[in-house]
Amino acid sequence: MSVGGLRLQLTVDAAMGLKNWFDGIGRGLRAFSRRMADDARGNVAMLFGLSLPVLILMTVGGVDIHRASTVRVNLQDALDAAALAAARSPYTTNAELRTVGLASLRANLKAYPEITLREADTSFVLNSDDVVIASSKVDVKTLVANIFLPPYGKFMDDYLPVAAHSEVDRSSRNIEVAMVLDLSGSMGGQKLTDLKNAAKDLVDLIVQPVQTPYYSKVALVPWSYSVNPGSYLTSVRGSVTGSTAITGAVINLTGTQRTITAATKARPVVITSNGHGFANNDVVWISGVSGMTQLNNKAYLVRNSTTNTFELFTLSGSRVDGRNYSNHSGSSGRVQRCQNNDCSITITSAAHGLSNNDYVYITGVSGMTQINDQTHLVGNATANTYTIDLTASSLSPYTSGGLSWCAQPGCTYYAFENENEDLATHRISSCVTERTGAQAYTDAAPTSGARVGRHYPDINGSCLGSTIEPLSSSISGIKADIDAFSVSGSTAGQIGIAWGWYMVSPNFSSLWPSSGGAAYNTAETLKAVIIMTDGEFNAPYCNGVTARYYNASAAASNNCDPDNGEPYAQSRALCDAMKVQGIMIYTVGFQITAGGGAEDLLEYCASTASGFYNAGSGTELSEAFNAIGRDITQLRISK
């Protein structure tokens, strides 16, 4: 429109110049006419006087005709743009198309104040071939004829009518867009605010208020160190082995229980128990002592044994110091040797499903609370019982309750050797990680054998709070989800990219039938994935725990290499696979390091060179998202 406006301004300037020129000519002609009137040859003067108005009308009228021709070009440009706007709209009735087209046409013609739009002669019609046909007329005010020859200018009614015609093949498609948005911890504060604003603007550009005959939908994939599938968790991850109830827990003792008749306040404590029968280095369990209760519910090593006495040493070999203990009283104390000298505990839990050398995590036991919230190695497993080693220097008697949890991959808890080569236990979260195996880089449905990865972040099972949103045309609903975004965790962009694909994949449609992606057919449905991140990918996984050498905390990292390799290679493989299916990929870096791995990946993944944006500020982020929205809208009708 600016070019057309320049043409019109040049035309006006030229007309004013011509007016000044014609003023000079007019003065000359009037002087010449007076001389002719004085000429004796009156016939020549009379003929010249009669023909002069016609000659002037022809001359100055040409200026207006030239101007009308220029305006027609400008009108054609404006009408073409208005017809395209109407074609891009979701509307199907002529009245709705005219409303959109007329609004665009009025806006485009504001640059030309000397013309008048004939709205009654303007139409936008959709024919049976899905072509928008637009017609319009404007009146162009004459600039010359009505100034110099007002009576003759009226022959043109002071205005010249100009018409234009335009046709746009609508050829539209459905739109499915997945927004893959980084919500890692570094995205907090103003960056999160900027992202929310830019993302909501993009939703307004893509999702149309009318969803017929072509729909336009957006899916949300917030991600950080994992992705939260919300109510679809079990469908994509599979079920997780839970707990069984504990109904008993006893110390494994053997031999005859002996009575303690005395205990000295010395270092070491000397126990008197007539005819006890214990040998040096036996492990014994003491309970029920009165007075010197500090001895109760603990295991000890027997040293310097005699027929009726022995000294107490800790299991680590130190003398037990009883000098500050209370005085022993009565004869109620009991001592008994531990079975196999390990003082193991027999747990009763029906159908526990554990095998020897499995790990088990115990919670909620009453009485023998010392075994709670710890990981134990399973031994002597039967269908309903197993043993665990003593894990505390003292142990209270079991009274009731408790839960037995398996602690292998696929269970609620997972015990593993961390990067420090210590045993660590994490609880499963409500999020998911990378898919492994043959389907790692496909969009196969998440059925048995193709489940996505489990996520064991820490002992609490922490998880990104923001959940995915399947394809939706609810603008208010999508924006509400965006407003609820919160940040946490590290940056596992490869997982977000995979889920961006899943959201528009027809193979995942069985998960969300009303919001599933259409079949792959670029002529009917435009599928696009927008990947946005602010940093380097640093969280690949091994058995659902961040792999070694990638996590800042060695204590929380699994002491194994990533199942699928480093995250950038995973991301490239996923982008390549998406492009094969005709999915358009746009990428946006937000204040990322120039020349870093993230920038290289985003440039690689973008379907076109112009589809990669590196935003250095919130304003630039909004501009990038707006440009992507406009491009998707244009692609929708350019098949």
Side-chain angles (χ1 to χ4, degrees):
M1 288 186 291
S2 61
V3 174
L6 178 60
R7 289 198 299 264
L8 179 56
Q9 186 61 49
L10 290 175
T11 302
V12 172
D13 291 343
M16 295 305 296
L18 284 172
K19 179 180 181 298
N20 294 333
W21 180 72
F22 276 116
D23 285 343
I25 291 178
R27 289 191 294 271
L29 286 174
R30 285 191 293 271
F32 177 72
S33 298
R34 287 193 295 270
R35 290 195 301 270
M36 288 294 293
D38 294 336
D39 197 301
R41 290 169 293 181
N43 290 337
V44 174
M46 182 180 64
L47 292 174
F48 179 77
L50 292 173
S51 61
L52 180 60
V54 177
L55 293 173
I56 293 176
L57 182 59
M58 292 174 61
T59 301
V60 299
V63 174
D64 286 321
I65 292 172
H66 172 74
R67 179 169 179 270
S69 178
T70 301
V71 169
R72 186 187 184 284
V73 173
N74 297 334
L75 173 62
Q76 188 66 57
D77 289 344
L79 187 63
D80 287 344
L84 189 61
R88 287 176 177 170
S89 75
Y91 302 115
T92 56
T93 68
N94 293 339
E96 291 170 325
L97 291 171
R98 185 176 185 276
T99 298
V100 174
L102 195 56
S104 175
L105 185 59
R106 290 193 193 104
N108 292 332
L109 291 177
K110 283 183 179 179
Y112 316 123
E114 297 298 322
I115 64 176
T116 302
L117 175 64
R118 292 188 182 181
E119 294 191 5
D121 294 328
T122 300
S123 63
F124 293 84
V125 177
L126 182 67
N127 70 10
S128 59
D129 294 324
D130 218 18
V131 175
V132 174
I133 301 173
S135 299
S136 184
K137 289 183 180 180
V138 297
D139 289 327
V140 185
K141 186 174 180 61
T142 57
L143 294 178
V144 178
N146 64 346
I147 294 174
F148 289 97
L149 296 175
Y152 298 98
K154 293 301 180 181
F155 291 149
M156 293 184 257
D157 199 24
D158 289 339
Y159 289 93
L160 287 175
V162 175
H165 180 86
S166 181
E167 296 186 10
V168 176
D169 188 345
R170 197 166 204 182
S171 299
S172 194
R173 294 179 285 181
N174 300 315
I175 299 180
E176 297 175 359
V177 178
M179 298 170 62
V180 181
L181 306 176
D182 184 352
L183 294 187
S184 57
S186 58
M187 277 294 298
Q190 185 60 44
K191 292 173 76 173
L192 180 60
T193 300
D194 293 337
L195 174 60
K196 290 179 179 181
N197 292 335
K200 288 187 290 186
D201 288 345
L202 182 57
V203 171
D204 285 332
L205 285 171
I206 293 174
V207 181
Q208 300 298 320
V210 177
Q211 293 292 307
T212 59
Y214 305 103
Y215 65 77
S216 50
K217 298 180 179 181
V218 166
L220 297 177
V221 181
W223 60 271
S224 60
Y225 55 162
S226 56
V227 166
N228 189 336
S231 61
Y232 307 101
L233 176 63
T234 301
S235 298
V236 298
R237 184 188 67 186
S239 58
V240 175
T241 304
S243 63
T244 56
I246 294 174
T247 56
V250 296
I251 303 295
N252 292 319
L253 304 175
T254 188
T256 303
Q257 189 179 74
R258 301 295 183 178
T259 299
I260 297 173
T261 58
T264 64
K265 295 180 63 174
R267 184 173 183 262
V269 172
V270 177
I271 298 296
T272 300
S273 179
N274 296 332
H276 55 72
F278 302 133
N280 288 335
N281 294 319
D282 278 351
V283 178
V284 296
W285 186 263
I286 293 179
S287 62
V289 172
S290 297
M292 195 180 286
T293 57
Q294 293 90 341
L295 296 177
N296 285 333
N297 302 313
K298 296 178 183 177
Y300 301 93
L301 283 173
V302 171
R303 295 286 174 86
N304 301 314
S305 176
T306 68
T307 301
N308 298 317
T309 65
F310 57 89
E311 295 177 353
L312 295 183
F313 280 65
T314 66
L315 297 182
S316 62
S318 299
R319 291 175 292 177
V320 174
D321 188 354
R323 289 174 295 183
N324 294 318
Y325 286 2
S326 304
N327 292 318
H328 178 266
S329 63
S331 300
S332 58
R334 298 290 182 268
V335 60
Q336 190 171 357
R337 187 166 68 84
C338 292
Q339 189 175 24
N340 300 321
N341 277 352
D342 63 1
C343 284
S344 61
I345 304 166
T346 295
I347 302 295
T348 301
S349 183
H352 54 72
L354 297 167
S355 301
N356 288 340
N357 298 316
D358 279 351
Y359 286 112
V360 63
Y361 195 78
I362 292 176
T363 63
V365 168
S366 296
M368 196 181 288
T369 57
Q370 296 85 352
I371 66 174
N372 283 334
D373 305 320
Q374 294 189 53
T375 302
H376 310 267
L377 189 67
V378 171
N380 304 303
T382 68
N384 299 316
T385 65
Y386 59 88
T387 62
I388 60 174
D389 290 334
L390 185 67
T391 57
S393 59
S394 64
L395 203 64
S396 304
Y398 171 84
T399 56
S400 64
L403 296 173
S404 170
W405 305 83
C406 65
Q408 284 61 245
C411 298
T412 300
Y413 290 90
Y414 172 39
F416 58 93
E417 181 186 87
N418 65 22
E419 197 174 322
N420 293 329
E421 299 184 356
D422 296 324
L423 184 67
T425 303
H426 286 183
R427 184 183 175 96
I428 202 166
S429 80
S430 298
C431 290
V432 293
T433 60
E434 305 149 342
R435 179 152 63 175
T436 60
Q439 306 302 332
Y441 305 118
T442 77
D443 63 335
T447 54
S448 178
R451 302 292 189 187
V452 300
R454 296 174 289 267
H455 184 222
Y456 293 97
D458 52 38
I459 192 61
N460 299 313
S462 305
C463 182
L464 179 67
S466 301
T467 63
I468 62 169
E469 171 67 45
L471 288 169
S472 171
S473 58
S474 171
I475 296 175
S476 60
I478 299 170
K479 287 184 175 182
D481 288 339
I482 292 172
D483 282 330
F485 280 171
S486 60
V487 302
S488 67
S490 50
T491 310
Q494 72 279 9
I495 303 173
I497 291 172
W499 274 88
W501 186 7
Y502 302 158
M503 301 308 279
V504 298
S505 168
N507 297 321
F508 269 66
S509 293
S510 59
L511 293 179
W512 31 75
S514 62
S515 303
Y520 291 121
N521 184 336
T522 55
E524 294 182 359
T525 303
L526 170 64
K527 296 177 182 281
V529 173
I530 303 168
I531 303 166
M532 173 269 157
T533 184
D534 81 325
E536 303 300 317
F537 294 2
N538 57 15
Y541 284 84
C542 176
N543 281 336
V545 179
T546 306
R548 61 185 173 188
Y549 312 139
Y550 281 92
N551 196 304
S553 171
S557 300
N558 208 344
N559 194 26
C560 52
D561 295 325
D563 294 324
N564 291 347
E566 61 95 6
Y568 288 125
Q570 295 186 51
S571 300
R572 288 185 175 89
L574 289 164
C575 289
D576 289 342
M578 277 193 280
K579 291 174 184 177
V580 169
Q581 297 295 346
I583 297 172
M584 287 292 299
I585 302 177
Y586 299 87
T587 58
V588 182
F590 189 19
Q591 299 179 11
I592 59 176
T593 301
E599 183 180 61
D600 290 344
L601 172 73
L602 295 179
E603 288 181 333
Y604 179 90
C605 281
S607 294
T608 63
S610 61
F612 163 64
Y613 301 84
N614 194 351
S617 66
T619 299
E620 291 180 4
L621 183 67
S622 291
E623 291 172 351
F625 275 32
N626 285 335
I628 291 171
R630 290 192 298 269
D631 193 60
I632 289 174
T633 302
Q634 291 171 357
L635 288 175
R636 181 185 188 184
I637 65 167
S638 61
K639 65 180 180 180

